[in-house]
Each structure stands twice: as structure tokens, then as C-alpha cells.
Amino acid sequence: MGNFVASSGLKQVSVERSFAEKHYADLSAKPFFGSLVEYIISGPVVAMVWEGKNVVVTGRKIIGATNPAESAPGTIRGDYAIDIGRNVIHGSDSVESARKEIALWFPEGISEWQSNLHPWIYE
């Protein structure tokens, strides 16, 4: 039970162009930057914060490889995505990235709570 994942932030948002450009700022020099921005602003987005032991590594396993063609069946990208330019999910690649992205997507903060199952899951 070492890889428990829990949600502590969840909301549906319509993403404005300027926000999308800020979210993808580290990719702004890439040739696909414009299409990334267009795609994320094309419809509502569900933003989530997961927390738990090894959550970045575990989350990346659940999400699958960035290229859906290389994602294992049973992962979100492996089951629900086909083209890399139409990736159905984003996941932070490090705790540092997650902190920046949480601050961007959840400026109001996230829910602070601990499940009563916590002692049954963690030592």
C-alpha cells in the first residue's frame, strides 16, 4: 500500500488563452506550442491535485507515457489518447513542477484534510 493516491483539489474550468500560455510557458519555443494552447482552450478542463506517498511517480504510471502510442494499455493515455498533440491528460513531472502548477491552477488553495483510513494505509 505504499503508493496511495488521493485527490485534494478538483474543479472544472474554462481556460483562457493567457492562462494556457502561462501554463505551457516552458514549451513556448517549441513548434507545437500554438497547437497545445489551442487544444487546452478548446473546451472545459478538469484540474486535480493528487497527494500521497510517491504520488508523482505513481501518477505518471497511471497517466502513461507522454506519447500515447508508447503508453501501456490500462493507463489513461494508453486507453483514451491516440495522438501526442491531443493528449487527454497532463501530469507534473516533479514535485517542483507540481508546486508551481498547483499555485497556478489553485490560487485559492486546496482542501486540507486527512482520511480516517490514513493509519490503515501508511505506517
Side-chain angles (χ1 to χ4, degrees), residues 69-121:
E70 297 170 2
S71 292
T75 64
I76 295 168
R77 289 178 177 149
D79 288 355
Y80 300 106
I82 296 172
D83 290 322
I84 195 168
R86 294 295 182 256
N87 236 329
V88 297
I89 190 168
H90 167 80
S92 301
D93 60 1
S94 68
V95 172
E96 299 78 34
S97 293
R99 285 189 179 115
K100 286 186 232 173
E101 292 174 357
I102 291 167
L104 180 65
W105 287 86
F106 291 86
E108 69 280 2
I110 58 174
S111 298
E112 297 293 333
W113 66 278
Q114 184 173 340
S115 168
N116 60 359
L117 295 176
H118 190 271
W120 290 97
I121 297 167

Side-chain angles (χ1 to χ4, degrees), residues 25-72:
D26 61 324
L27 301 173
S28 62
K30 301 287 187 180
F32 53 82
F33 176 74
S35 61
L36 271 177
V37 170
E38 289 299 322
Y39 186 60
I40 199 169
I41 68 172
S42 69
V45 171
V46 175
M48 299 176 83
V49 177
W50 294 348
E51 62 182 343
K53 188 175 183 181
N54 300 319
V55 71
V56 172
V57 172
T58 302
R60 303 289 291 178
K61 288 178 185 175
I62 293 167
I63 290 168
T66 301
N67 184 346
E70 297 170 2
S71 292

